[in-house]
Amino acid sequence: MGMNFMKAFSERLRQVAPARAEGHGRQAPAAGRQSEGEELSEGGRELVKVLKSQDELLDTILREQDKMHRDVKQRKWDSLQKSMSQMRTLSDSFVALDRQREALAGDNRGIYFEPGVEPVFASVRSKLTRSKIENDALRSYVSATKDFISGIIDECYAGGGMCYGQNGRMVSSEVGSVLINTEF
C-alpha cells in the first residue's frame, strides 16, 4: 500500500476517534459485525472474510515470532530452524491472502472504511506493525551479537592467522580447529 493511502487511513481514524470518545457518531461495531440496518456490499463481506483470516494468521505469526526470539536468546538452534521453516509457510499463506485482499479491494480504497470492514482492517494493520517491530528487534539483537562475537574473534586472531609468542615474535598458528557458523 502506498504512503498516501496510509496517510488517508490514519487521518480517517483521527477524525472518527474523537467523535467516538465524546459519544458522538456511530460506535464501531465488533470486528466483522455490522450495526443494525447497515449492510456490507458483497465485496465488503468477502473482504472481511479475507481480513479475518489474515488477522488469525497474524496471531499465529506473532506467537511464532515470540518463540523464535526465545529460541535465539536460549540458543536452541534446532527449535529455531523449525520455527523459521514454520514462519516461511505462514508468510507464504499471508502473502496469498494479501493478494486476495488486494484483488477484492481493487482501486476502491474506500471499501476499507465501510463500518464492518474498518475495525478488522485496523486490527490487521496493528498486528502487521507489531510484527514488523518484533522482526526489527530480533534482527537488531542478532546483528549486535554477531558483531560482538566477530569483534572478539578478530581480536584473538588478528593478522591473518598469525599469533605472537611470549617474546613478541610472530608464530604461525593452526586455526583450523576454530569453526564459526555465521548463518545465525
Side-chain angles (χ1 to χ4, degrees):
M1 282 186 211
M3 288 301 274
N4 291 336
F5 175 71
M6 290 308 299
K7 285 181 183 177
F9 183 73
S10 297
E11 182 61 31
R12 172 78 169 125
L13 287 178
R14 277 192 286 272
Q15 291 171 351
V16 172
R20 288 182 183 159
E22 295 171 8
H24 298 94
R26 61 176 187 252
Q27 293 291 331
R33 279 193 260 145
Q34 38 296 351
S35 302
E36 287 190 38
E38 293 185 75
E39 285 293 321
L40 282 175
S41 64
E42 180 64 32
R45 282 192 295 275
E46 289 299 315
L47 184 60
V48 167
K49 287 179 188 176
V50 171
L51 287 170
K52 281 183 177 181
S53 296
Q54 283 185 317
D55 195 56
E56 292 169 6
L57 190 57
L58 281 168
D59 286 336
T60 305
I61 287 171
L62 288 168
R63 281 192 300 272
E64 199 65 35
Q65 282 179 313
D66 288 341
K67 185 178 180 306
M68 285 175 63
H69 202 103
R70 282 192 311 273
D71 289 345
V72 166
K73 284 186 173 183
Q74 296 172 359
R75 296 175 187 90
K76 294 182 178 180
W77 308 126
D78 291 335
S79 179
L80 178 64
Q81 283 185 324
K82 289 176 186 172
S83 291
M84 288 172 65
S85 176
Q86 178 69 14
M87 281 296 287
R88 281 186 205 100
T89 303
L90 293 169
S91 294
D92 290 344
S93 298
F94 187 85
V95 167
L97 286 169
D98 207 43
R99 285 188 187 122
Q100 287 179 355
R101 180 194 56 78
E102 286 177 354
L104 287 169
D107 292 334
N108 180 13
R109 300 297 184 201
I111 197 168
Y112 294 112
F113 301 111
E114 287 188 20
V117 177
E118 189 174 4
V120 184
F121 181 67
S123 176
V124 168
R125 295 298 302 172
S126 172
K127 289 177 184 178
L128 278 172
T129 301
R130 181 174 164 214
S131 176
K132 183 181 183 316
I133 291 168
E134 291 291 328
N135 276 343
D136 290 345
L138 182 59
R139 186 180 3 257
S140 294
Y141 177 80
V142 169
S143 178
T145 303
K146 177 185 168 201
D147 291 346
F148 175 72
I149 291 173
S150 292
I152 289 174
I153 291 173
D154 288 345
E155 286 295 317
C156 291
Y157 293 102
M162 296 301 291
C163 291
Y164 295 90
Q166 292 176 339
N167 298 330
R169 292 187 184 147
M170 280 204 241
V171 180
S172 177
S173 65
E174 295 292 323
V175 190
S177 62
V178 174
L179 177 66
I180 300 170
N181 185 351
T182 59
E183 186 174 323
F184 295 107

